[in-house]
Amino acid sequence: SAAPITSDPPEHTPARKLLLPAFAPKEIAKLEGRARAVCRALLDAIGDAPTCDGAVDYAQHIPVRVIARMLGVDENKGDLFRDWINRTLVEGVRNPAVAMSAMQEQSAFFKEQVELRRKTPGDDLVSFLLRAEFEGKPLTEPHIIGTLRLILIAGIDTTWSGIGAAIWHLATHPADRKRL
């Protein structure tokens, strides 16, 4: 089977279903405490500053840290992850070589993570994918790496965009803030 990043329905459907247990409500609930702690720490860091950039100072950090936790990697990889996303989705649109370079770096990073989990499995998404099977066979390394790249890029970009849009809306619509 192909990784969800490289397939469309109907081939995409089994790859997506394979991930459902890792994203089940009880699994995501395990991340809630850490996500709340990250949000509180970011707000504390902004503190009483007269201004801040809601996207850069807040929204971009939350999914980076939570997804790092899901992947079983250091939460301080945020700058690296943000760089990959920028090079893939912003600079890479104008310069495909930049996007290709970022994708190669991601693949090398995830290949290293796969090798580490083969030696020492954990309670993380990389280990989950190493244990997963499709039609009775283990997932191929390209499938695992493609899936991890998809989760990293799509999960972070979509989430920080949603958080940033919510902050912008609340900042520009004071009546909606009162209803919270």
Side-chain angles (χ1 to χ4, degrees), residues 14-74:
R16 193 185 81 238
K17 283 184 179 179
L18 184 78
L19 290 169
L20 290 177
F23 289 91
K26 70 176 185 156
E27 293 301 315
I28 297 304
K30 293 177 185 177
L31 298 167
E32 184 178 347
R34 182 63 193 138
R36 288 180 183 277
V38 165
C39 292
R40 282 188 201 101
L42 292 168
L43 290 172
D44 288 345
I46 294 168
D48 294 328
T51 64
C52 74
D53 184 323
V56 174
D57 299 330
Y58 185 75
Q60 290 184 5
H61 294 275
I62 299 164
V64 168
R65 292 184 188 179
V66 173
I67 289 176
R69 174 67 60 105
M70 289 178 73
L71 298 172
V73 301
D74 183 354

